[in-house]
Amino acid sequence: MEPTHLFELVIAMFLAIIALHYAAHRLGLPPSVALLTGGALLAFVPGLPAISVDPELVLVIFLPPLLMDGAWAIALARLRRHMIGIASLAVGAVLFTCAVVAVVAHLIFPSLPWAACAALGAIVAPPDAVSARAVLERVKLPRRLQILLEGESLLNDASGLVLFRFAVAAAAAATGAFSAGEAIGSFFVLALGGAVVGVVVGTAWVKLVRRLGDEYLIIAATVLLGWISYLLGELLHVSGVIATVTTGLIASWHQHTVFSAATRMRGTSFWTVMIFLMEASVFTLIGLSLRDVVERGGGLTTVIATMGLPMLAILVTLVVARFAWVFASDLVIRFCAALGVTRVQPLGAGGATVLSWAGVRGVITLALALSLPEGFPGRDFILATSFAVILGTVLVQGTTLGRVIAWARLVETETERARLTMSQAEVAMVQAQLGTVQSLAYDAEGKLIHPQLLDRYQRRATVIVDYAERTEHYKPVLHAHFDVVLEAVATGRRELIRLHRAGDIDDETLDELERDLDLEELSAISAKA
């Protein structure tokens, strides 16, 4: 394919993404479902060239920024608090699922070497960070379940990658034996090395940002951060996934102190659009790659006839294995609680069901399956099964997770609630600001030199304290108030544009005053939420 045609195809894919996202919004479907289905349908459009996905390139392009985004947005305090549960899912559940899938695959195809069965297990075992986020964006979960799923999706890719590489190496060896113990030991070494690389890169970024001074250079350096950490980790033969996540956690912790307000607003806007296009492209590429998978299997009819039942058996095994691990872990927690060990509270049947049902697979599964070398035992079956697992989990679990959550009737536990509400935090913030203004409102002789500023902050503090004490009383009035503010902003914007179109003001004046209106509008929208 010529470079210009490839570029045209990329632009067409972005246009399709916008159309599919809009269709999903109008139909009330998760965007991931529309993108995956739309990509699969586009793959068989007559005349459209076959899309050949390079798995290594997919991992390098998409995985680092998406992992970085997840680490940037995750609640670090809750991540530390629930690290045992996250590790249980990211390591324990992946190992258990890999083993169960390998056993079932070997029972279905006794001639398939154990190493190939283990490779299939490693490919389909880890739920995907991109798929998990695409599903979780549309549902409301208690904080504990949210952090367990987010933390698992960030860290379990490392477990799956290590198991996969050991299984492929074992299949290439003469014996075909797979050593789970060696793989586990290697995982912890690679994870520790990745964490060290992440700390070094994250610390270097903090020092660099404090010296750059230019907001566009800071944004550019931050955008490149995930790729730098991932590539450096892989270059040093440690876990690039853990390196990227560690770097993201460090950058997220320090961004509140090293970013200016302008940098944060502009950087967030750019980053949000970039991540949106990347996430959407991943699901579309997965759908487009269906054609290649079907052609390798001899056509859709042949694939379904010869592999349909085995693929369904693997998919069911995958779901059952996750349920078994989650419910068994919750049972252990209940047993420990009965013995007086109450550090971790059990999830309960509803929480365990939601956590089990949320294991959606995606780009990692596809990339690992496509990276299997030619001639690998059972390669066609593994490819077809991997795609079936992605389709099944996204289309079935992704579309029904909201109903499962509604059925579970989950409630937020007291231990997961923050000590202060948003209104109480705002009171503390405004009172601190008032203290600073009070100390600076007078000159050295004690004369008041900023009376209007002091009066403004005093009135603001009084109003916010009253609002925090009677929030429910003020909510309707507050919404009506900011509705008027938004109408006033819209009127001001129309007048500003009229003055500009009439030639009464120049572009610089338009941009400056429009930015003020934008900030006022965003503030009003945020206050209404």
Side-chain angles (χ1 to χ4, degrees):
M1 184 184 298
E2 294 183 8
T4 53
H5 291 164
L6 178 61
F7 179 73
E8 290 168 359
L9 194 61
V10 171
I11 296 301
M13 183 181 72
F14 285 152
L15 291 174
I17 284 170
I18 295 172
L20 290 169
H21 234 277
Y22 176 76
H25 175 70
R26 293 302 300 264
L27 296 173
L29 292 173
S32 56
V33 172
L35 292 167
L36 187 61
T37 307
L41 293 175
L42 288 172
F44 293 97
V45 172
L48 189 71
I51 304 298
S52 180
V53 180
D54 186 326
E56 291 297 327
L57 188 60
V58 167
L59 284 179
V60 170
I61 290 177
F62 292 101
L63 190 58
L66 295 175
L67 286 173
M68 186 78 181
D69 185 61
W72 194 279
I74 204 165
L76 191 55
R78 288 201 293 272
L79 181 70
R80 288 197 300 264
R81 190 186 313 149
H82 296 292
M83 185 51 73
I84 294 175
I86 291 170
S88 170
L89 292 168
V91 181
V94 170
L95 292 173
F96 177 73
T97 304
C98 176
V100 173
V101 169
V103 169
V104 172
H106 195 70
L107 290 174
I108 297 173
F109 297 108
S111 60
L112 198 63
W114 275 108
C117 296
L120 173 59
I123 288 170
V124 300
D128 181 60
V130 182
S131 300
R133 196 221 315 271
V135 171
L136 294 176
E137 280 178 350
R138 296 178 56 85
V139 297
K140 178 67 174 175
L141 281 175
R143 288 184 177 89
R144 183 182 176 189
L145 285 180
Q146 186 87 19
I147 199 68
L148 286 174
L149 288 169
E150 289 178 352
E152 175 197 15
S153 66
L154 282 176
L155 301 176
N156 63 10
D157 293 341
S159 309
L161 285 167
V162 170
L163 288 173
F164 173 76
R165 286 167 181 169
F166 266 84
V168 171
T175 60
F178 177 76
S179 173
E182 188 178 353
I184 294 171
S186 176
F187 165 75
F188 285 107
V189 172
L190 295 175
L192 180 61
V196 172
V197 171
V199 169
V200 171
V201 174
T203 304
W205 174 83
V206 173
K207 294 182 180 298
L208 176 66
V209 167
R210 284 175 172 159
R211 286 167 173 75
L212 282 177
D214 184 281
E215 61 190 57
Y216 294 108
L217 293 179
I218 292 171
I219 293 170
T222 305
V223 169
L224 296 175
L225 189 59
W227 282 298
I228 292 171
S229 188
Y230 182 86
L231 292 172
L232 184 59
E234 293 296 310
L235 182 66
L236 298 176
H237 303 292
V238 297
S239 174
V241 171
I242 300 296
T244 306
V245 171
T246 305
T247 299
L249 293 174
I250 292 173
S252 174
W253 180 260
H254 287 282
Q255 58 101 2
H256 304 287
T257 57
V258 298
F259 281 176
S260 66
T263 301
R264 188 175 297 106
M265 287 188 66
R266 288 173 178 165
T268 300
S269 300
F270 173 79
W271 182 260
T272 301
V273 173
M274 187 185 81
I275 293 299
F276 163 75
L277 289 175
M278 283 195 154
E279 285 184 349
S281 299
V282 165
F283 285 106
T284 307
L285 286 173
I286 290 174
L288 290 170
S289 65
L290 175 62
R291 180 173 169 180
D292 183 54
V293 173
V294 169
E295 288 177 351
R296 285 177 178 274
L300 186 60
T301 305
T302 303
V303 169
I304 294 175
T306 59
M307 304 180 191
L309 287 178
M311 290 190 300
L312 180 61
I314 296 298
L315 177 58
V316 172
T317 299
L318 196 69
V319 176
V320 171
R322 183 173 176 88
F323 268 86
W325 179 269
V326 172
F327 273 86
S329 301
D330 206 46
L331 193 62
V332 170
I333 294 172
R334 286 183 180 278
F335 179 73
C336 293
L339 296 177
V341 181
T342 58
R343 184 170 180 266
V344 180
Q345 296 297 318
L347 292 169
T353 300
V354 171
L355 189 63
S356 302
W357 194 243
V360 183
R361 273 64 179 180
V363 62
I364 287 293
T365 294
L366 178 71
L368 293 182
L370 291 174
S371 67
L372 286 171
E374 294 289 343
F376 190 86
R379 187 176 190 272
D380 289 342
F381 171 68
I382 293 175
L383 272 173
T385 303
S386 300
F387 201 91
V389 164
I390 296 171
L391 277 176
T393 55
V394 171
L395 296 181
V396 178
Q397 292 174 274
T399 54
T400 58
L401 182 59
R403 296 189 186 95
V404 174
I405 293 171
W407 165 84
R409 295 183 180 178
L410 304 174
V411 294
E412 192 76 76
T413 59
E414 288 295 332
T415 55
E416 292 300 320
R417 291 183 181 141
R419 189 171 60 85
L420 298 178
T421 65
M422 184 178 292
S423 296
Q424 291 169 332
E426 193 173 13
V427 168
M429 180 185 72
V430 170
Q431 287 179 337
Q433 290 177 315
L434 176 60
T436 297
V437 172
Q438 285 174 333
S439 65
L440 299 175
Y442 298 87
D443 62 14
E445 286 76 32
K447 180 183 177 182
L448 181 61
I449 55 175
H450 298 297
Q452 292 181 337
L453 192 62
L454 179 60
D455 180 63
R456 190 178 94 190
Y457 273 86
Q458 285 174 334
R459 283 189 286 107
R460 185 181 175 198
T462 301
V463 168
I464 290 176
V465 169
D466 187 42
Y467 175 78
E469 293 173 350
R470 299 193 294 162
T471 302
E472 293 303 319
H473 170 74
Y474 280 112
K475 269 188 177 178
V477 178
L478 190 72
H479 279 220
H481 169 86
F482 284 108
D483 283 338
V484 175
V485 172
L486 290 172
E487 285 294 332
V489 168
T491 302
R493 197 185 307 278
R494 286 193 296 269
E495 177 63 13
L496 196 60
I497 294 171
R498 188 192 68 78
L499 292 172
H500 179 259
R501 298 295 186 265
D504 294 332
I505 59 173
D506 56 20
D507 288 354
E508 288 77 9
T509 302
L510 171 67
D511 292 341
E512 192 73 24
L513 293 179
E514 187 176 44
R515 185 179 62 180
D516 293 342
L517 289 173
D518 289 343
L519 291 172
E520 189 177 0
E521 181 178 341
L522 289 173
S523 177
I525 293 172
S526 175
K528 276 190 66 177

